[in-house]
Amino acid sequence: MNLSVFLMLLLIISTFTGLTTEAAIKCLQEHGKSYYANTLAGCIAVVLSIAAGAAYTVLVGAEISARMGVYLIALVFLSWLAAMVGYDKVVQTIAQIKGKSQEEES
């Protein structure tokens, strides 16, 4: 997995998290259940990112290595974070960190 694939998975998970959360909220409202929107969105993001990471690993036939483990853990965490604060903020922060690290290498 490289950074572009990682960011694409993060974008897909972020999009599906919003859609799935809205669907879950409508179902909960129909049944008169109470819920915490942020907690629900965070849990959905974690489940979707674990599923996407597993699907990517199986479909690409990737080996589970330390690098892949770091990518998958980061995917789970950043998906949860994107559900809490928004995808744009997370990508902006990643771009800033990546830009600073490239400047330091030069």
Side-chain angles (χ1 to χ4, degrees):
M1 182 182 296
N2 57 30
L3 188 60
S4 61
V5 172
F6 175 80
L7 290 175
M8 181 58 71
L9 283 173
L10 186 59
L11 172 66
I12 291 168
I13 292 165
S14 179
T15 302
F16 280 109
T17 295
L19 295 172
T20 306
T21 301
E22 287 300 316
I25 287 172
K26 288 186 185 272
C27 287
L28 290 171
Q29 286 175 344
E30 283 180 2
H31 292 84
K33 304 286 184 183
S34 63
Y35 59 90
Y36 296 100
N38 279 344
T39 304
L40 181 63
C43 291
I44 289 172
V46 168
V47 169
L48 288 177
S49 61
I50 290 170
Y56 175 81
T57 304
V58 169
L59 292 174
V60 175
E63 284 186 30
I64 301 296
S65 62
R67 182 178 178 170
M68 186 63 143
V70 169
Y71 270 121
L72 294 176
I73 290 169
L75 184 64
V76 171
F77 175 72
L78 291 176
S79 296
W80 171 80
L81 193 62
M84 297 296 123
V85 297
Y87 174 77
D88 295 338
K89 292 287 185 188
V90 172
V91 171
Q92 179 184 11
T93 303
I94 291 171
Q96 288 174 350
I97 291 170
K98 185 179 176 192
K100 287 181 183 177
S101 67
Q102 287 179 348
E103 290 173 7
E104 291 171 2
E105 290 175 1
S106 300

